[in-house]
Amino acid sequence: MPERRTVALVTLGCARNEVDSEELAGRLAADGWQLVEEAADADVAVVNTCGFVEAAKKDSVDALLEANDLKDHGRTQAVVAVGCMAERYGKELADALPEADGVLGFDDYADISDRLQTILSGGAHAAHTPRDRRKLLPLSPVERQQAAGAVALPGHGDADALASAPSDLPEGLAPASGPRAPLRRRLATSPVASVKLASGCDRRCSFCAIPSFRGSFVSRRPSDVLGETRWLAEQGVKEIMLVSENNTSYGKDLGDIRLLETLLPELAAVDGIERVRVSYLQPAEMRPGLIDVLTSTEKVAPYFDLSFQHSAPAVLRAMRRFGDTDRFLELLDTIRSKAPQAGVRSNFIVGFPGESEQDFAELERFVTHARLDAIGVFGYSDEDGTEAAGYDAKLDQETVDARLADLSRLAEELTAQRAEERLGETLDVMVESVDTGEDGDGAVGRAAHQAPETDGQVVFTPESAARAALAPGRMVAAKVVGTEGVDLVAECLEEAGR
């Protein structure tokens, strides 16, 4: 019997990429590939790249080069680039990085097994010439939904995957149920998993290139989202995080812009799911009904990942966004009037073309009064193909760097203060890992206001963790007794077995 082909998926970037990697893993497992964790143990290393900002692109190139080095002293025979950077640059990336044996775009995902087999056998697959994926579907959201089956939508699945999938799927592989439900294989053992709510974006922020290579906004059907969530719960997942480029637009192409308000309680009712979290919310699209559902539905985290980006009106207009400091603060007041413990995070861009000292001071005013739990700060840089790249009034790099440093210091101070405000609070904490070894982190989890990777964590006191015999995936009540920056130190209030 011939040795099975092995493949490792190396994922960079956001949670959306993690879902895409698990869809690719599902397709490959269904076709007989053996999935391994380490690239050094694989015949083919597939690097799911990020193409968002320069730093992320550099990380992706570094990962490809690192995987290529394995070919000299490991099992690895081929290195293949997929993901946003591969889609965004295609042939240009292939020419600039000959170390990659293949550069595959989203249109190749349905045939990923054949593509990898060709490359592994020494054949070549021509990299695509990038195109604006917004032009692949109709302008009308409803017409777009009807035509979406003919366009590659990573994380959505397709009819061809259903037709070609064997009836006896390998253990641990999500059954593709429905015309656009994905095959999926989990690549992690965490009790938390992301579920893709939609793909693409219809907004035209002047600094962002994502819509050009991710395409127009397309919602997944509620039945597909529910089916995938049920399968994840069967795999031991306790918390799901809904991801897309813009979750507040969910349902507009299905004829109901309020569909998320209906879907959230259904997801929260799935047997085995303890928490549902929604990410990527647009402040300009927040509506009272959605705030009510996010703040009052049992098992739905009162968590608001709001993409403010700035608060000075002139800068926001140049970004092709809406709002101002006072309107944003009113939104936060509305949220906290309904859920005082609600978590809020956001990202901000400093040094945008034309940003004056007064604009930057206005942003500092907003951040100072917003009481955010987590803050990401980025210095502006031109992105290929964006409107802002052609703007005049660019700030010099020294000014951008100085403002980045100033706001980062302020953000660190303010988020630490916000953590201290939670002293004495009793929180529901999802236990994520328990490592009581000499060099371990002990028992660690996350409260409702803390998303994976970005927002800090809860560290249990050793005595209370031992008393409660904590295990990953368990939801426990804990009282905050200390802070370490944005991280909380908490005492578990439950006994073992409860």
Side-chain angles (χ1 to χ4, degrees):
M1 183 175 179
E3 187 176 6
R4 294 185 68 185
R5 303 163 297 176
T6 56
V7 58
L9 287 122
V10 180
T11 307
L12 294 95
C14 63
R16 301 185 295 273
N17 256 16
E18 294 172 6
V19 176
D20 294 349
S21 284
E22 293 195 348
E23 182 193 13
L24 290 174
R27 291 176 181 270
L28 290 166
D31 202 42
W33 289 76
Q34 180 180 349
L35 299 164
V36 296
E37 291 186 11
E38 301 295 331
D41 299 328
D43 297 319
V44 184
V46 177
V47 180
N48 193 347
T49 60
C50 178
F52 181 38
V53 294
E54 285 304 318
K57 288 183 275 190
K58 181 181 183 303
D59 289 343
S60 296
V61 171
D62 289 345
L64 287 163
L65 294 175
E66 182 178 339
N68 182 70
D69 290 341
L70 297 173
K71 291 191 289 188
D72 294 331
H73 48 266
R75 173 170 178 159
T76 308
Q77 301 173 51
V79 176
V80 176
V82 299
C84 290
M85 190 175 179
E87 174 62 37
R88 184 176 181 183
Y89 294 105
K91 186 177 185 301
E92 181 182 347
L93 177 62
D95 292 342
L97 197 70
E99 291 85 355
D101 299 287
V103 174
L104 305 182
F106 297 153
D107 292 333
D108 292 306
Y109 282 21
D111 301 309
I112 186 66
S113 179
D114 290 342
R115 298 286 187 267
L116 296 191
Q117 184 59 58
T118 296
I119 294 168
L120 184 59
S121 301
H125 177 71
H128 67 288
T129 298
R131 52 183 172 167
D132 189 338
R133 296 190 72 86
R134 291 172 292 191
K135 299 178 180 179
L136 301 182
L137 291 170
L139 186 62
S140 163
V142 175
E143 293 178 3
R144 175 190 312 163
Q145 179 69 216
Q146 297 167 351
V151 174
L153 300 170
H156 285 235
D158 56 47
D160 290 339
L162 261 180
S164 61
S167 57
D168 54 339
L169 293 172
E171 183 179 353
L173 190 65
S177 57
R180 286 211 307 272
L183 295 166
R184 181 170 178 175
R185 166 66 69 86
R186 291 211 71 203
L187 296 174
T189 57
S190 167
V192 183
S194 296
V195 175
K196 187 166 284 192
L197 200 59
S199 286
C201 186
D202 287 344
R203 300 184 69 87
R204 293 295 180 263
C205 301
S206 62
F207 56 84
C208 183
I210 288 176
S212 66
F213 57 85
R214 275 288 184 181
S216 298
F217 186 88
V218 180
S219 302
R220 291 183 67 197
R221 299 185 316 164
S223 58
D224 289 344
V225 177
L226 276 164
E228 189 170 345
T229 298
R230 293 189 184 104
W231 175 79
L232 287 168
E234 292 170 358
Q235 304 301 304
V237 169
K238 300 297 182 182
E239 176 179 333
I240 62 164
M241 184 167 72
L242 299 178
V243 299
S244 76
E245 280 73 20
N246 177 12
N247 281 332
T248 35
S249 284
Y250 179 69
K252 71 175 186 178
D253 51 328
L254 295 170
D256 185 359
I257 190 60
R258 295 176 176 82
L259 194 55
L260 185 56
E261 288 94 303
T262 304
L263 178 60
L264 285 172
E266 295 183 70
L267 292 170
V270 171
D271 188 32
I273 294 298
E274 296 291 338
R275 179 183 286 155
V276 178
R277 184 184 304 277
V278 184
S279 60
Y280 305 109
L281 301 170
Q282 288 291 339
E285 298 181 28
M286 291 301 295
R287 46 197 180 267
L290 181 56
I291 294 174
D292 287 342
V293 170
L294 287 170
T295 55
S296 64
T297 307
E298 185 179 3
K299 295 188 178 181
V300 173
Y303 175 80
F304 294 82
D305 177 11
L306 293 163
S307 177
F308 289 120
Q309 301 298 348
H310 213 283
S311 71
V315 176
L316 286 169
R317 284 196 296 272
M319 289 179 168
R320 297 205 179 279
R321 298 176 67 85
F322 307 95
D324 56 51
T325 295
D326 293 334
R327 272 189 279 184
F328 290 163
L329 291 176
E330 288 174 6
L331 172 61
L332 296 178
D333 286 344
T334 298
I335 291 169
R336 289 175 175 137
S337 70
K338 298 176 181 293
Q341 289 185 331
V344 185
R345 82 168 322 275
S346 193
N347 294 323
F348 300 94
I349 298 173
V350 299
F352 194 79
E355 181 190 61
S356 67
E357 291 183 7
Q358 291 77 15
D359 293 331
F360 183 67
E362 184 68 0
L363 175 57
E364 290 183 309
R365 181 171 81 89
F366 170 67
V367 172
T368 299
H369 290 89
R371 296 172 57 229
L372 302 176
D373 294 278
I375 299 172
V377 185
F378 301 88
Y380 173 81
S381 62
D382 287 337
E383 278 295 311
D384 299 335
T386 61
E387 181 182 358
Y391 282 179
D392 296 327
K394 298 282 178 62
L395 277 63
D396 62 83
Q397 193 61 47
E398 184 178 354
T399 299
V400 174
D401 292 344
R403 292 181 182 177
L404 174 62
D406 288 345
L407 192 64
S408 296
R409 282 193 295 268
L410 180 61
E412 184 176 0
E413 176 185 338
L414 293 171
T415 51
Q417 290 178 8
R418 177 65 180 133
E420 290 174 359
E421 291 178 19
R422 295 190 181 274
L423 284 169
E425 286 186 2
T426 297
L427 307 173
D428 290 330
V429 181
M430 172 72 69
V431 182
E432 284 206 324
S433 64
V434 179
D435 185 353
T436 57
E438 186 174 336
D439 299 323
D441 296 327
V444 175
R446 287 179 302 100
H449 70 281
Q450 297 168 317
E453 307 293 337
T454 59
D455 298 348
Q457 60 188 9
V458 174
V459 180
F460 292 95
T461 59
E463 298 80 8
S464 70
R467 183 177 67 246
L470 296 180
R474 186 175 166 196
M475 184 78 81
V476 298
K479 181 179 180 179
V480 181
V481 297
T483 64
E484 298 175 357
V486 297
D487 295 337
L488 305 178
V489 179
E491 179 181 356
C492 182
L493 301 179
E494 301 190 25
E495 301 292 336
R498 287 192 59 189

